[in-house]
Amino acid sequence: MNLSKEIQYVKGVGPNRAELLNRLGIFTLKDLITYYPRAYEDRSKVKNIAECVNGEEALIEAVACGKLSDVRLHGKTMQKLLVKDETGSATITWFNQSYLKSKFKMGEKYKFYGKIINSFGKITMNSPVFDEEEGNFNTGKIIPLYPLTYKLSQNILRRIMENGLLEVEGELKETLPEYILKQYNLEEINEATKKIHFPKELKDFDIARKRFVFEELLSTQLALLQIKNSVMNEQNGIEFSKEAKMSDVINQLPFKLTKAQLRVLEEIDRDMESKKSMNRLLQGDVGSGKTVVAMCAAYKAVKCGYQVAIMAPTAILATQHLENFQKILKNLNIRCELLISGISKKKKEELLERLVNGEIDILIGTHAIIEENVKFKNLGLVVTDEQHRFGVKQRTKIANKGENPDVLVMTATPIPRTLALILYGDLDISIIDELPPNRKKVETFAVKKNMTERVNIFIEKQIKEGHQAYIVCPLVEENEELDLKSVEKLYETYKTQIFPQYKVEYIHGKMKAKEKDLIMERFKSGDIDVLISTTVIEVGVDVPNSNIMVVENAERFGLAQLHQLRGRVGRGEYQSYCILKYEGRSETVKERMQVMCETNDGFVISEKDLELRGSGDFFGTMQHGLPEFKIANLFEDMPILKMVQSLASKIVSEDPKLEKSENALLKELVKDKFMNRIEI
Ligand code: ADP
Ligand code: MG
């Protein structure tokens, strides 16, 4: 058995199918057997024909009462076969499958699995899979369903999988240490591999799955902790001077920093002055004042003769950061510039030239900063302001533009500690857990559709008092199925029917950066009363005069995302409001809305989100940026994640480099993780 054997040489594959399998990320025998099913179909229990219910998928065992016959219908040929068991009869049909004729013999017994149509007691099954009485390829067992690509059918992949599993049967080497298997009651690898693909009973699958989830999470967590350890022990970071004082910036600010901001700045200051490079995550709720923290750190780096890169998720945000930085730092003679993809070629060339010559101190921008041709003279600090998580690889990429620069990662998504540890396990964590004083709580209401008129009257009242409103809708394109309102449509309604007397505009993610910036500028300057928007405003845009936000179809959003959105209002001195319009009666939806109305604390919300969420919407519906796990699901597998984390930290504290013999296998797992295509 050779696990690294190329996939095309596995029985039943060959060069053509190998190409299809490659598209699924399957290149070797090992990739194949670790390609896990996304679901299972239980085709193990035979049903009596008389008991078949309309719409269900069922397995029947029945005798062919005649031959397969062709029936012409609308230019197509349909094949019909009448079958019966002791309880009744059924018609089995296929389309354009004349070749099936040779497969059935009158009087023989077959097993059929497919969807039942029961029309007034007349049972039909269309295009089922089948086996002969003794056969068991398609029926009589629990069948795995794999995530698939075009041109590769479940049947083909299942056959290949069976062949692959035969090759390795009983010969897989255990990848987890004996003591871990015992302590956590995990199944041995050969048994688990067989059962994850072809469970005899559904509970087999749970047991097998637990083992692989455990293994995957443990190796990821250990890998992250290893990165963290190795970075920590390196003494070749920049030692920023104690002489450069962050207080120069603090003294320029029009407000007093909160205790939490000061504490975090101390942590950063200490990191910057030490020999090791800083790798720190700064977590702080929306509006907690992360920007000035970044500014102080940037100032210190510049004062010590280094350049700083600040990376934001959108052009709007980058521009806003630039304005904020310039406001304060121009008094301190620091040169800030903006690099976003919208700027002209000429301007960009000139900017890159000045950057490499060291004539720019702080470069603020979007992903454009990562590009190859962006070169610094001496990059000393990298700050990423994340909407979502950049992977370890991306962080490394930008850090490589300098020699071991310090790295500060900021996130406004408050995440529970367990998640932070697996998403950012390579970083030290600082938390701003306090908002600046005198922030008024955003009053939040959850309402049903029938309240729309009253909501509109309320919005108008705010506009009349000189304020501005955000209306958030979930999608750009009309999707009738989900009944989500498109921005354009919503815009038309508000502009022509609801508020024709006010200035209504819209903004969405598919607009050009320039158009978006223009709209945001106009909104900021008060030229727009009502802004209809998708979640592009989710991230950090600051318009203190807008004090009301209405979210349409709020039930479609994750709580963390709603919280982010809500953070756009309540930035000024006025009372602000957030109105969540929702549909649906489910208890979970109601409870979710209630959480939003009751608390403004992002950490509480994120914990609740985790508790109440149905599917992967923690970071918004897209699950953007979460690391790809082959089998683990961070949310459903939270209990395993917790076990794994305490185990991982115990292992690393007792055996930091995994040198003990009992951990030899773990060392292999971690090595594999680093070498593999898996992104962490
Ligand atoms: P976020 O953490 O969401 O990035 P910002 O840094 O954008 O928050 O800060 C939100 C607003 O609060 C900004 O207008 C900022 O100037 C202001 N701010 C930050 N810190 C304080 C403070 N200590 N006191 C008062 N206002 C502050
Ligand atoms: Mg921010």
Side-chain angles (χ1 to χ4, degrees):
M1 179 207 60
N2 170 13
L3 280 178
S4 45
K5 172 169 166 173
E6 271 181 59
I7 192 65
Q8 72 157 309
Y9 301 116
V10 171
K11 192 174 160 213
V13 183
N16 291 340
R17 284 181 182 164
E19 217 169 276
L20 295 174
L21 289 165
N22 289 170
R23 278 193 233 163
L24 299 173
I26 302 172
F27 296 88
T28 62
L29 178 56
K30 180 178 177 186
D31 293 338
L32 177 71
I33 60 168
T34 55
Y35 193 75
Y36 301 116
R38 65 171 162 73
Y40 299 85
E41 215 165 64
D42 189 348
R43 302 183 190 166
S44 63
K45 295 179 187 66
V46 180
K47 264 210 151 179
N48 288 330
I49 290 180
E51 286 162 26
C52 286
V53 178
N54 189 35
E56 76 173 336
E57 311 254 335
L59 173 70
I60 57 173
E61 217 176 82
V63 174
C65 306
K67 283 201 169 143
L68 190 77
S69 61
D70 279 344
V71 184
R72 291 199 61 82
L73 198 78
H74 309 303
K76 283 185 182 165
T77 322
M78 198 166 102
Q79 286 74 41
K80 273 191 173 187
L81 181 70
L82 191 67
V83 301
K84 66 172 192 216
D85 66 7
E86 289 86 59
T87 65
S89 62
T91 309
I92 314 280
T93 66
W94 288 271
F95 267 109
N96 291 332
Q97 313 268 318
S98 293
Y99 75 95
L100 286 175
K101 269 188 192 154
S102 61
K103 302 256 177 190
F104 298 101
K105 287 200 192 87
M106 189 167 143
E108 298 273 311
K109 205 181 236 180
Y110 300 92
K111 292 181 285 189
F112 301 92
Y113 180 88
K115 195 167 180 174
I116 300 288
I117 301 170
N118 184 339
S119 168
F120 301 107
K122 208 172 153 322
I123 308 270
T124 320
M125 196 186 262
N126 294 329
S127 308
V129 293
F130 60 92
D131 281 319
E132 288 168 14
E133 185 170 12
E134 302 300 323
N136 69 345
F137 178 67
N138 286 315
T139 62
K141 59 187 176 188
I142 296 169
I143 299 276
L145 299 174
Y146 296 95
L148 279 187
T149 176
Y150 169 69
K151 277 190 176 165
L152 197 64
S153 73
Q154 292 290 353
N155 279 353
I156 293 174
L157 184 56
R158 202 163 75 237
R159 266 249 205 259
I160 294 172
M161 192 64 80
E162 283 180 347
N163 294 336
L165 288 175
L166 268 179
E167 278 195 42
V168 304
E169 192 165 6
E171 290 188 52
L172 292 172
K173 277 211 209 71
E174 185 50 70
T175 51
L176 287 172
E178 183 71 35
Y179 77 94
I180 293 182
L181 291 179
K182 272 218 180 92
Q183 191 182 337
Y184 294 90
N185 201 9
L186 303 174
E187 190 161 52
E188 174 274 328
I189 192 164
N190 282 291
E191 213 33 45
T193 300
K194 205 158 75 189
K195 287 183 186 163
I196 192 89
H197 292 287
F198 296 104
K200 289 240 156 41
E201 299 172 64
L202 285 175
K203 78 171 193 316
D204 283 355
F205 147 76
D206 285 333
I207 295 167
R209 184 174 180 279
K210 177 179 164 196
R211 183 230 138 87
F212 290 115
V213 169
F214 197 100
E215 177 175 336
E216 183 172 41
L217 291 175
L218 182 64
S219 54
T220 306
Q221 193 67 69
L222 283 174
L224 287 168
L225 291 176
Q226 292 282 104
I227 297 178
K228 185 170 168 179
N229 266 354
S230 65
V231 173
M232 255 167 47
N233 294 329
E234 268 171 32
Q235 299 289 321
N236 55 0
I238 302 165
E239 251 178 287
F240 293 94
S241 159
K242 285 191 166 47
E243 303 304 314
K245 299 235 179 296
M246 293 182 175
S247 53
D248 294 349
V249 177
I250 300 176
N251 292 334
Q252 296 281 332
L253 298 172
F255 44 73
K256 255 181 75 191
L257 291 184
T258 62
K259 273 208 212 83
Q261 283 171 315
L262 287 170
R263 186 188 62 235
V264 161
L265 275 175
E266 251 170 57
E267 290 165 354
I268 293 173
D269 210 21
R270 210 180 315 133
D271 279 3
M272 289 182 77
E273 287 172 8
S274 90
K275 277 204 187 73
K276 67 180 184 78
S277 6
M278 168 165 76
N279 273 286
R280 191 167 280 280
L281 172 70
L282 175 58
Q283 269 200 74
D285 214 338
V286 203
S288 61
K290 293 183 292 296
T291 316
V292 289
V293 170
M295 204 187 296
C296 290
Y299 171 78
K300 183 168 177 113
V302 173
K303 265 294 166 193
C304 295
Y306 289 93
Q307 289 172 301
V308 178
I310 307 223
M311 203 156 66
T314 64
I316 298 178
L317 250 190
T319 313
Q320 190 175 291
H321 279 331
L322 181 79
E323 284 164 13
N324 284 330
F325 270 58
Q326 273 174 336
K327 226 182 287 167
I328 305 293
L329 296 182
K330 71 169 190 291
N331 307 327
L332 299 163
N333 281 325
I334 288 176
R335 299 157 297 181
C336 306
E337 285 290 348
L338 183 70
L339 177 63
I340 50 181
S341 53
I343 64 171
S344 74
K345 205 172 159 211
K346 186 153 161 266
K347 201 159 167 220
K348 187 171 168 188
E349 272 166 16
E350 183 225 18
L351 191 142
L352 293 180
E353 177 79 28
R354 285 170 52 218
L355 187 68
V356 76
N357 289 335
E359 291 160 33
I360 293 171
D361 300 315
I362 302 180
L363 184 67
I364 302 178
T366 51
H367 268 76
I369 294 189
I370 305 188
E371 280 167 29
E372 197 87 24
N373 57 356
V374 180
K375 296 202 174 72
F376 292 80
K377 186 165 180 224
N378 56 348
L379 181 61
L381 172 69
V382 174
V383 180
T384 58
D385 191 0
E386 303 196 338
Q387 173 186 16
H388 300 293
R389 179 183 176 280
F390 292 117
V392 174
K393 271 191 197 154
Q394 274 170 305
R395 285 205 287 272
T396 318
K397 205 161 166 188
I398 173 146
N400 282 343
K401 291 181 182 287
E403 264 175 60
N404 288 316
D406 279 9
V407 175
L408 181 66
V409 178
M410 305 198 292
T411 171
T413 316
I415 34 182
R417 202 183 140 67
T418 1
L419 280 188
L421 274 178
I422 192 103
L423 297 180
Y424 296 101
D426 56 324
L427 309 177
D428 293 310
I429 298 181
S430 290
I431 298 178
I432 308 185
D433 50 5
E434 177 189 2
L435 292 184
N438 305 326
R439 283 281 162 78
K440 288 206 175 69
K441 180 175 179 288
V442 179
E443 292 283 349
T444 304
F445 305 98
V447 302
K448 288 237 159 170
K449 232 183 187 155
N450 58 8
M451 297 278 281
T452 299
E453 220 150 287
R454 284 175 62 184
V455 171
N456 291 340
I457 292 170
F458 189 69
I459 301 173
E460 179 157 21
K461 183 164 167 271
Q462 300 305 321
I463 301 177
K464 278 193 173 143
E465 286 173 16
H467 296 302
Q468 293 157 280
Y470 290 107
I471 315 276
V472 182
C473 55
L475 276 186
V476 181
E477 279 141 4
E478 179 89 70
N479 183 336
E480 288 190 354
E481 225 172 43
L482 298 175
D483 192 28
L484 294 169
K485 301 169 184 76
S486 73
V487 182
E488 280 100 348
K489 198 167 159 206
L490 207 62
Y491 165 70
E492 280 304 315
T493 315
Y494 273 92
K495 189 181 169 69
T496 58
Q497 293 164 31
I498 305 174
F499 296 130
Q501 70 277 40
Y502 296 115
K503 269 170 284 178
V504 181
E505 274 300 346
Y506 70 95
I507 185 168
H508 60 74
K510 289 196 179 138
M511 281 176 162
K512 293 213 178 75
K514 262 198 188 138
E515 290 176 90
K516 275 192 279 196
D517 291 350
L518 188 68
I519 297 277
M520 281 324 292
E521 266 323 305
R522 287 178 53 207
F523 192 55
K524 254 181 158 171
S525 69
D527 182 35
I528 295 170
D529 300 308
V530 178
L531 184 62
I532 317 283
S533 167
T534 55
T535 53
V536 287
I537 51 150
E538 178 183 339
V539 256
V541 178
D542 207 359
V543 183
N545 190 48
S546 70
N547 76 331
I548 181 162
M549 168 175 292
V550 177
V551 182
E552 305 272 344
N553 288 101
E555 77 281 358
R556 300 267 178 221
F557 293 83
L559 294 190
Q561 200 177 16
L562 285 176
H563 180 65
Q564 291 275 311
L565 283 166
R566 181 168 64 180
R568 298 306 108 218
V569 292
R571 301 211 141 204
E573 66 230 67
Y574 331 97
Q575 179 57 54
S576 300
Y577 305 93
C578 175
I579 296 171
L580 305 172
K581 283 194 193 166
Y582 73 100
E583 285 165 37
R585 285 168 211 274
S586 104
E587 277 308 309
T588 318
V589 167
K590 272 191 209 148
E591 209 176 325
R592 284 158 60 93
M593 295 299 126
Q594 187 133 18
V595 171
M596 293 305 297
C597 298
E598 275 167 8
T599 179
N600 268 296
D601 183 328
F603 283 95
V604 173
I605 289 172
S606 74
E607 291 281 358
K608 275 281 171 194
D609 204 9
L610 210 54
E611 211 180 289
L612 295 175
R613 61 183 282 300
S615 57
D617 60 0
F618 187 74
F619 286 83
T621 41
M622 314 263 272
Q623 266 218 9
H624 214 85
L626 281 175
E628 288 267 325
F629 286 102
K630 264 191 145 167
I631 187 161
N633 173 321
L634 288 186
F635 308 100
E636 281 156 26
D637 296 321
M638 188 54 69
I640 301 182
L641 181 59
K642 285 186 178 159
M643 273 193 283
V644 161
Q645 285 177 338
S646 63
L647 174 65
S649 67
K650 184 162 172 281
I651 293 172
V652 170
S653 72
E654 288 168 4
D655 184 13
K657 292 190 172 161
L658 304 177
E659 285 163 332
K660 292 188 181 168
S661 62
E662 78 238 37
N663 290 330
L665 288 176
L666 295 178
K667 191 167 189 157
E668 282 300 306
L669 273 181
V670 169
K671 210 166 91 193
D672 205 46
K673 198 98 203 167
F674 285 129
M675 296 197 315
N676 232 309
R677 292 172 292 275
I678 298 164
E679 169 89 1
I680 50 173

